[in-house]
Amino acid sequence: MEHSGGLYSSVYEPNGHAAWADDQQHQDKETADNLRRKIKYFFMNPCEKYKARGRKPWKLMLQIIKIAIITIQLVSFGLSNQMVVTFKEENLMTFKHLFLKYYVDGRGDSYAVYRQDEVYEHISYIVDKYSRLRNITVGNHAYEKKGDTYSPLSLCQEFYRNGSISPANETFDIDAQIETECLEIVPVFPMGSTTEDDLLNFVVHFKRLLNVKIKFTLKAINLQTVRNRELPNCYDFDVTITFNNQAHSGRIKVDLDNDVDINECRDWKVTGASPKNIYYPLLFDCLIIVTCITSLALCTRSVLNGIRLQFEYTDFCLVRQGKKVPWSDRLEFLNGWYILIIASDTLTIIGSILKIEIQTKILTSYDVCSIFLGTGTMLVWIGVIRYMGYFKKYNILILTLRAAFPNVVRFIGCAGIIYLGYCFCGWIVLGPYHEKFRTLNTVSECLFSLINGDDMYPTFKYMKQKSYLVWLFSRVYLYTFVSLFIYMILSLFITLITDTYDTIKQQQQEGSPVSELHCFMSECKDLPTSGRYRVEGESGSFTCCFPRCKDSRERLSSESIDSEP
């Protein structure tokens, strides 16, 4: 028995080990081929996926529908928001013509008074026009009413508490504490002697004066929204007229500004438009929310599938090949276009909810809603480039942008340091002598325009020559900035993009894989129409929804094959 056992071991054991090794090698090759096939299917375009598994491109069709309805929604809201903004601006212009004496359009900062009698004259003019508002305005303006009484007009002056100023002797004694003196005037019809006596008793302390502020509240209704099947809004305009004397230069600047508060009208009735027509936009917004939620769910599922496949590929390379997958290959599985669509869907859902609340008069945040809807629509349209990338001639643009992005960010970081240095220098030195350098914001805008070649001659021309040293410095400053950024930095930036484009174009012409992942995937020669991507007993749409079921089915199938004699 021992001899026969030894003979059995020496004869049959090597053959059994060889058979086991061949079977293990076959399984490893089959596992690798299946993984290559799964990765190749993951990176297919919708048409290829339809040929491979008969999977209909639901996300593509949904994105096309979503682009159409979101664009319609944005145009509708944009027209409504434009009417709101126009109503605010026209009312502001109306108040300037009603309450500012001798006001002319386009005067801006030039509207000012220079004599004491002009200050009193303008104050009396404002109070008089306010008291006779409903007899002189052509709009539907009215006073704010609290209970049975009208809200008064507030006339206040702010001045230093005590002060003795003698420019002739070059002496002064100022108490920096600020006091406020106010007078309230209730609108009566017509303005009686009581109001005139109050104005006569109002004495302006010009030597210590900081400003005079006149505040009052007016109401109006924007009726033009009825044409767009929206309920009209009721507006509260908090008007503030300021006589600014903080510079004490002998020139008191006069400015009118208003804060707008939009409210739901208490009692309203609209005839000539049925309630169904008014609430059609609400149903349309609900449809957009449902569409975006569906798109968000589909794209989130695709992102999760990509992450799962990335872990599977990483484990395969680590266990079977003994090497780690670089992050560049890992990020290939994270589809940035899906992230973009998820962001756009989220913004559109939030904007649509705000739009519904605006239409139902719960909120009046037109600006916030427009930011969400506008940004969401912009990202939706940018996402269309993903489907353009499936065509080779268009794909080169996308690949160039993606490949050049890291270098562009580093280049902009270095150039931005130089740019900020010029901004601070221009603001400090040229700010007092040039309008375009008064603030850091205007300095940045001016320099950015110079980089693009815009507004170059006026920037040189409008530099005041009150200080020859500063004027000479401005010439050196502007010439060096233009030469450095246009002839050097901007040219290097263009060269950076061009070199990346040439590299991508050469890689496409040679057709060589550009990463280990593409090399691994290129070994799969199965065409989408080969039928190798289909799973028996499963439809294409549910295969990617339940990948674990697919893996377990393949595993059971392989086990059943191995168990056969």
Side-chain angles (χ1 to χ4, degrees):
M1 294 294 294
E2 293 179 359
H3 178 73
S4 61
L7 181 62
Y8 177 82
S9 300
S10 62
V11 173
Y12 293 100
E13 185 175 352
N15 294 334
H17 179 74
W20 178 84
D22 292 341
D23 184 65
Q24 185 66 29
Q25 184 178 5
H26 175 73
Q27 289 184 2
D28 292 344
K29 184 177 183 303
E30 185 177 0
T31 302
D33 290 340
N34 289 335
L35 181 59
R36 289 190 184 95
R37 200 173 292 116
K38 289 168 64 176
I39 295 175
K40 186 174 182 179
Y41 177 79
F42 178 78
F43 287 104
M44 286 182 181
N45 60 49
C47 296
E48 292 175 341
K49 288 182 178 180
Y50 178 75
K51 295 177 181 178
R53 290 185 180 176
R55 176 185 174 185
K56 296 180 177 59
W58 297 112
K59 285 196 294 291
L60 174 59
M61 293 186 290
L62 187 63
Q63 295 305 316
I64 295 174
I65 296 173
K66 190 178 69 174
I67 288 174
I69 60 178
I70 286 179
T71 305
I72 294 174
Q73 180 199 42
L74 184 70
V75 172
S76 175
F77 180 78
L79 295 175
S80 177
N81 189 31
Q82 185 177 5
M83 287 190 295
V84 172
V85 175
T86 302
F87 187 74
K88 293 179 183 179
E89 293 178 349
E90 291 184 353
N91 273 273
L92 177 61
M93 189 61 61
T94 298
F95 297 149
K96 289 183 178 181
H97 281 276
L98 284 177
F99 300 111
L100 299 183
K101 193 173 184 179
Y102 307 128
Y103 180 80
V104 178
D105 291 339
R107 295 186 63 174
D109 294 337
S110 63
Y111 190 84
V113 292
Y114 302 90
R115 301 193 309 270
Q116 296 184 9
D117 60 317
E118 287 184 326
V119 175
Y120 287 113
E121 182 181 352
H122 279 71
I123 293 175
S124 299
Y125 182 85
I126 294 169
V127 174
D128 176 64
K129 298 302 180 183
Y130 174 77
S131 300
R132 298 191 298 113
L133 176 66
R134 64 181 186 179
N135 295 327
I136 61 176
T137 181
V138 296
N140 55 3
H141 302 100
Y143 304 109
E144 182 186 34
K145 199 172 185 180
K146 296 182 180 179
D148 296 332
T149 59
Y150 292 104
S151 298
L153 175 146
S154 175
L155 173 59
C156 298
Q157 63 171 326
E158 294 181 352
F159 51 88
Y160 293 117
R161 179 180 295 176
N162 292 311
S164 175
I165 304 173
S166 178
N169 299 326
E170 298 182 350
T171 60
F172 65 92
D173 182 11
I174 287 290
D175 186 349
Q177 296 295 325
I178 298 175
E179 290 187 347
T180 303
E181 187 179 282
C182 293
L183 172 66
E184 292 186 348
I185 301 175
V186 179
V188 291
F189 316 106
M191 185 175 68
S193 59
T194 304
T195 303
E196 295 177 354
D197 294 339
D198 292 338
L199 288 176
L200 292 176
N201 295 329
F202 184 80
V203 179
V204 180
H205 307 282
F206 288 101
K207 297 296 183 180
R208 296 176 289 154
L209 179 67
L210 292 175
N211 58 65
V212 176
K213 291 185 178 181
I214 302 176
K215 298 181 179 181
F216 52 88
T217 301
L218 299 177
K219 288 182 169 291
I221 300 176
N222 186 5
L223 297 176
Q224 61 179 335
T225 57
V226 177
R227 298 197 306 269
N228 286 3
R229 297 175 180 176
E230 295 183 17
L231 295 178
N233 293 319
C234 290
Y235 290 73
D236 291 345
F237 294 96
D238 296 325
V239 183
T240 302
I241 302 175
T242 304
F243 294 78
N244 189 351
N245 190 44
Q246 293 184 0
H248 291 88
S249 60
R251 181 175 184 263
I252 299 179
K253 294 183 290 185
V254 184
D255 181 50
L256 186 148
D257 195 10
N258 64 340
D259 293 329
V260 184
D261 187 17
I262 305 175
N263 304 308
E264 180 183 3
C265 296
R266 299 178 182 176
D267 188 14
W268 55 268
K269 181 180 180 181
V270 179
T271 59
S274 63
K276 292 182 180 180
N277 291 338
I278 293 178
Y279 289 104
Y280 276 158
L282 299 180
L283 296 176
F284 186 72
D285 292 333
C286 292
L287 174 63
I288 291 177
I289 292 175
V290 172
T291 304
C292 290
I293 291 176
T294 305
S295 173
L296 180 66
L298 292 175
C299 293
T300 303
R301 185 200 64 179
S302 298
V303 171
L304 295 178
N305 287 339
I307 294 174
R308 180 190 60 80
L309 189 59
Q310 180 261 134
F311 282 117
E312 187 176 349
Y313 173 69
T314 304
D315 294 339
F316 175 84
C317 292
L318 186 63
V319 174
R320 302 297 176 86
Q321 300 178 358
K323 62 179 181 180
K324 293 184 178 180
V325 179
W327 278 104
S328 58
D329 287 350
R330 291 186 178 187
L331 293 177
E332 289 281 345
F333 292 93
L334 187 62
N335 197 320
W337 295 111
Y338 288 148
I339 303 297
L340 185 71
I341 294 174
I342 290 173
S344 68
D345 289 336
T346 304
L347 294 174
T348 304
I349 291 171
I350 297 174
S352 299
I353 294 174
L354 292 176
K355 184 174 181 290
I356 291 175
E357 293 180 343
I358 289 173
Q359 290 178 335
T360 55
K361 308 307 175 185
I362 298 177
L363 293 177
T364 56
S365 305
Y366 279 87
D367 294 336
V368 177
C369 181
S370 62
I371 290 174
F372 278 106
L373 290 181
T375 307
T377 306
M378 178 186 68
L379 296 180
V380 167
W381 278 96
I382 293 176
V384 178
I385 301 179
R386 171 179 180 263
Y387 300 101
M388 301 292 292
Y390 294 134
F391 302 95
K392 188 175 181 180
K393 292 184 178 180
Y394 297 100
N395 190 39
I396 190 171
L397 171 62
I398 302 172
L399 294 177
T400 302
L401 293 176
R402 185 172 63 180
F405 183 76
N407 294 330
V408 168
V409 172
R410 288 190 287 268
F411 184 85
I412 292 178
C414 296
I417 296 175
I418 305 175
Y419 185 82
L420 286 176
Y422 270 90
C423 286
F424 284 111
C425 179
W427 175 51
I428 293 298
V429 180
L430 307 182
Y433 302 95
H434 203 299
E435 292 183 358
K436 296 182 179 181
F437 293 84
R438 293 290 168 84
T439 64
L440 280 175
N441 185 37
T442 57
V443 172
S444 179
E445 293 173 354
C446 177
L447 295 183
F448 190 78
S449 299
L450 290 177
I451 293 176
N452 292 277
D454 298 333
D455 209 23
M456 192 171 295
Y457 177 72
T459 304
F460 281 89
K461 180 181 179 181
Y462 295 145
M463 179 65 196
K464 297 179 182 178
Q465 300 185 16
K466 294 183 179 180
S467 173
Y468 179 76
L469 180 62
V470 176
W471 180 86
L472 185 62
F473 177 85
S474 69
R475 264 46 195 168
V476 177
Y477 172 87
L478 292 174
Y479 280 122
T480 56
F481 177 83
V482 171
S483 302
L484 179 63
F485 274 84
I486 292 182
Y487 301 131
M488 294 182 62
I489 295 180
L490 190 59
S491 299
L492 289 174
F493 182 80
I494 297 174
T495 303
L496 184 67
I497 305 294
T498 305
D499 290 343
T500 307
Y501 175 81
D502 293 337
T503 303
I504 298 296
K505 188 176 181 180
Q506 183 178 2
Q507 289 177 351
Q508 284 192 342
Q509 291 175 350
E510 295 177 355
S512 59
V514 295
S515 65
E516 295 181 4
L517 174 63
H518 288 82
C519 291
F520 177 80
M521 188 172 55
S522 63
E523 296 181 19
C524 178
K525 305 300 181 180
D526 298 330
L527 298 175
T529 57
S530 63
R532 299 295 300 276
Y533 299 92
R534 295 182 180 271
V535 179
E536 295 181 1
E538 284 188 85
S539 62
S541 59
F542 290 97
T543 299
C544 57
C545 294
F546 303 99
R548 293 184 179 178
C549 297
K550 174 188 173 185
D551 295 340
S552 62
R553 179 171 301 202
E554 291 177 349
R555 186 166 55 255
L556 291 174
S557 177
S558 62
E559 290 176 356
S560 63
I561 293 173
D562 296 338
S563 63
E564 292 180 358

